[in-house]
Amino acid sequence: EDQVTQSPEALRLQEGESSSLNCSYTVSGLRGLFWYRQDPGKGPEFLFTLYSAGEEKEKERLKATLTKKESFLHITAPKPEDSATYLCAVYNTDKLIFGTGTRLQVFP
Amino acid sequence: DAGVIQSPRHEVTEMGQEVTLRCKPISGHDYLFWYRQTMMRGLELLIYFNNNVPIDDSGMPEDRFSAKMPNASFSTLKIQPSEPRDSAVYFCASSLLDRTSEQFFGPGTRLTVL
């Protein structure tokens, strides 16, 4: 069965304290891995798409990487405005499957 | 572009009532998706359309749920009759190129069935 697991479920960081979020997956026919950010009361907002192992993408303080079994979202020197839930999703041959997310809180 | 528009933003209804959720995708996007989000199950795909045609409705939980897309700028998700376990946030999303490209989500409709 296709599955996406994110860890940790919740993460509390001090402003400036770098860390990583994990997304592990088992899926047949991976066609892409997506990272989204979701703020409370809003819809998910697209961040990155990764298609093949070894691929990396960066946006401001965020960097996403992909291996054959997992993806990491690295957050460098986070700020309070980075607080959100980060969702990982994988596209198999049919549809987008989401993980349950990591809820990140960054304190000043 | 205003982005994906959903209405209503909040809906409170009683068990057994019919509920209709509405979505206007981004102009020019060929794909439209309906999702449901709960704390327990996260974000789940219910159904998606390509050029107004339903392609995959395997995520629709049961016959009480139905979705239509009469034209490129409008879609509805209907629940009849509604049940308390249908309480969730329902999102509509659209994408431009194909079903693997980035999806743009609306703000969601928070449904509460009493």
Side-chain angles (χ1 to χ4, degrees):
Chain A
E1 181 184 347
D2 295 339
Q3 197 167 9
V4 179
T5 303
Q6 291 188 247
S7 62
E9 289 187 7
L11 181 63
R12 295 163 56 98
L13 298 174
Q14 204 70 33
E15 182 173 4
E17 180 187 1
S18 301
S19 187
S20 295
L21 281 55
N22 177 264
C23 171
S24 62
Y25 61 90
T26 53
V27 61
S28 56
L30 178 70
R31 297 186 60 178
L33 185 140
F34 298 76
W35 282 99
Y36 284 83
R37 168 188 170 132
Q38 186 174 22
D39 292 297
K42 296 187 176 181
E45 177 185 345
F46 173 79
L47 292 173
F48 304 108
T49 307
L50 302 168
Y51 291 104
S52 57
E55 189 175 358
E56 299 182 352
K57 289 194 177 174
E58 290 188 62
K59 179 180 180 180
E60 296 181 355
R61 295 176 293 280
L62 301 177
K63 179 180 178 180
T65 62
L66 180 65
T67 71
K68 289 185 178 180
K69 295 292 184 184
E70 58 190 350
S71 176
F72 292 94
L73 184 65
H74 307 278
I75 303 177
T76 302
K79 298 182 177 181
E81 53 261 42
D82 294 323
S83 297
T85 295
Y86 290 85
L87 299 170
C88 167
V90 297
Y91 221 114
N92 64 8
T93 52
D94 296 318
K95 63 187 68 172
L96 201 59
I97 303 169
F98 279 86
T100 52
T102 292
R103 188 174 65 257
L104 173 66
Q105 292 179 291
V106 182
F107 295 91
Chain B
D1 200 316
V4 176
I5 299 172
Q6 291 186 247
S7 65
R9 293 295 313 277
H10 302 274
E11 177 79 34
V12 180
T13 190
E14 292 188 348
M15 183 174 62
Q17 296 298 306
E18 177 179 297
V19 176
T20 299
L21 311 181
R22 297 173 177 80
C23 174
K24 176 179 168 54
I26 293 173
S27 177
H29 283 195
D30 292 331
Y31 287 82
L32 183 139
F33 308 82
W34 281 101
Y35 289 90
R36 177 171 68 177
Q37 187 174 42
T38 61
M39 289 294 292
M40 291 297 295
R41 299 175 66 88
L43 203 58
E44 301 173 286
L45 177 67
L46 300 177
I47 184 172
Y48 79 89
F49 295 82
N50 176 215
N51 291 323
N52 313 336
V53 177
I55 303 300
D56 183 351
D57 65 354
S58 60
M60 298 284 262
E62 48 197 275
D63 292 344
R64 298 184 297 106
F65 286 70
S66 63
K68 294 182 179 180
M69 192 165 186
N71 57 61
S73 59
F74 184 66
S75 177
T76 59
L77 178 67
K78 186 175 293 186
I79 308 173
Q80 165 64 17
S82 58
E83 297 182 3
R85 59 193 169 118
D86 302 330
S87 297
V89 181
Y90 291 81
F91 288 103
C92 175
S94 67
S95 67
L96 176 60
L97 296 176
D98 57 42
R99 56 190 175 89
T100 67
S101 60
E102 72 174 273
Q103 296 179 17
F104 294 83
F105 284 77
T109 295
R110 181 174 294 278
L111 173 64
T112 302
V113 183
L114 303 174

